[in-house]
Amino acid sequence: MIDRPRRSALYMPASNAKAIEKARSLACDVVILDLEDAVAPEAKETAREQAVQAIADGGFGRRELVIRINGLDTPWGEADLRAAAAARPDAVLVPKVNGPADVAACSAALEGDTALWAMIETGRAVFAVEPIAAASATSRLTTFVMGVNDLAKETRAHILPRREAFHAALSLSVTAARIHGLTILDGVFNDIEDLNGLEDACRQGVEFGFDGKTLIHPKQIGVCNVLFSPSPAEVDWARAVIAAFALPENQGKGAIRVDGKMTELLHLAQAQRLVAVADAIHAAEAA
C-alpha cells in the first residue's frame, strides 16, 4: 500500500514568513520547513519559532509537513529537536545521521505520530546505510533523504550532470531503503534556472529507483511531479498485467503472455505497486 505520494519535497526557509505562507498553495507533495542550510545563524531562533507556529496554524492542505532541524552537534540542534517534537509535524528530518545510534536517539525524542526522516549525506552514513535503514524496525524512521551537496563537500568530488562520483552512494542508499521498506528521496538540483537539467536529474532519479526528489525552488515542482509520476502508458500496461493474471485461465500460473511479452509474477507485483502509486497521486491531487 502506498500511503501518500512524495514526488516533490520543497525546502522552504522557516525564517521567511512569506515563503511559509506561499508553501500553503504550492503543488508540492511535501513542505520541508528548513531550520538548517537555508537559515543564517542569526535567524535560527526565529526560524524555529516560525516553523512551530506554522505547524500550529495549519492550512497546508494535503501537503506533508516536515521540519528539518539543525544537527545535534550544533548550538541549535537540541532545542530544534525539542521544539519540533512538541509541534508534532508529520516528520522531523535530521541531518548528518551517521549510524543507528543517531536514529535511536532522535526517534526517542519524538512524540505522537511524528515520523523520523534521516539525511544520508556523510561518508560514515554511506558505509553504515544498511544498519541505519535496519534501525527502522525499532524506531520511527520511515524515510531517507540524500544530501549530495554535503557528500561532495566531504569527499571533494565534483557534481557533474550524471553524478558519476555518487553512483555508489545513491545506489546503496536506494537498496538499503528497499530492503527495509523505507521511502527515499533524491538530493536537490542546484541550478534553479536550468529546467532541462532538472528534467535530466529527475529522470536519473527515477532510473535509480527514488520515490521523489527534494527541491530548492517552487519553479522546480512541476517537472518533478510529472517525472516521478507513472505515465499513462505505464499505468495502462500495469492494469493490463493485473487484469491478465486475474483471468481464470491464468490462475496459479507463474508466467503468462501479455501483449505478446513474457510476463512473470514479479512483473505483477511491480504492476500492482505502480497502480497503487498512480491511485495515491490521483487521490492526493483530488483532495
Side-chain angles (χ1 to χ4, degrees):
M1 178 180 175
I2 308 300
D3 56 349
R4 62 201 303 176
R6 297 183 177 96
R7 301 164 296 174
S8 51
L10 179 65
Y11 289 110
M12 297 296 268
S15 56
N16 187 332
K18 290 183 179 180
I20 293 174
E21 182 57 35
K22 184 176 183 178
R24 290 182 167 91
S25 62
L26 296 174
C28 54
D29 293 329
V30 183
V31 173
I32 302 176
L33 301 173
D34 192 15
L35 310 183
E36 195 207 17
D37 287 345
V39 179
E42 63 271 15
K44 295 289 188 183
E45 293 188 6
T46 297
R48 182 190 306 138
E49 293 168 1
Q50 292 190 164
V52 169
Q53 189 61 51
I55 301 296
D57 291 344
F60 290 87
R62 69 171 183 86
R63 298 159 195 83
E64 196 167 9
L65 285 179
V66 180
I67 295 178
R68 178 166 72 167
I69 66 173
N70 287 280
L72 297 185
D73 60 346
T74 71
W76 313 281
E78 292 287 350
D80 285 351
L81 182 58
R82 289 194 300 270
R88 297 193 179 187
D90 293 305
V92 172
L93 175 58
V94 180
K96 308 296 190 298
V97 170
N98 286 320
D102 294 335
V103 172
C106 293
S107 182
L110 300 182
E111 303 174 7
D113 295 327
T114 299
L116 178 68
W117 292 16
M119 299 279 313
I120 303 300
E121 57 183 348
T122 69
R124 290 181 183 275
V126 171
F127 281 97
V129 70
E130 195 279 330
I132 293 172
S136 62
T138 55
S139 72
R140 296 169 179 263
L141 179 64
T142 66
T143 303
F144 277 170
V145 177
M146 297 305 300
V148 178
N149 285 335
D150 280 273
L151 274 174
K153 177 183 176 182
E154 183 173 324
T155 62
R156 303 177 194 167
H158 292 252
I159 304 177
L160 300 177
R162 294 300 296 172
R163 300 188 293 181
E164 291 88 348
F166 305 95
H167 284 188
L170 296 171
S171 184
L172 286 171
S173 297
V174 170
T175 302
R178 297 295 170 242
I179 290 171
H180 296 284
L182 302 181
T183 298
I184 182 165
L185 306 182
D186 199 1
V188 301
F189 182 75
N190 295 318
D191 192 338
I192 296 171
E193 302 302 326
D194 185 6
L195 295 183
N196 289 330
L198 172 65
E199 182 174 334
D200 290 341
C202 288
R203 291 188 189 281
Q204 186 192 47
V206 172
E207 292 169 3
F208 269 106
F210 287 101
D211 296 294
K213 191 170 184 66
T214 47
L215 308 173
I216 56 174
H217 195 278
K219 69 168 56 178
Q220 298 177 322
I221 295 171
V223 170
C224 193
N225 281 351
V226 169
L227 291 174
F228 280 97
S229 297
S231 70
E234 289 173 323
V235 176
D236 288 344
W237 170 84
R239 294 193 189 281
V241 169
I242 293 169
F245 271 101
L247 292 173
E249 61 267 30
N250 291 330
Q251 295 300 300
K253 292 184 178 180
I256 61 175
R257 295 181 70 177
V258 179
D259 295 334
K261 297 179 180 179
M262 184 62 67
T263 307
E264 302 178 13
L265 287 175
L266 67 90
H267 299 116
L268 173 60
Q270 291 173 330
Q272 290 169 331
R273 186 187 183 281
L274 190 145
V275 169
V277 170
D279 288 346
I281 290 170
H282 177 76
E285 292 183 342

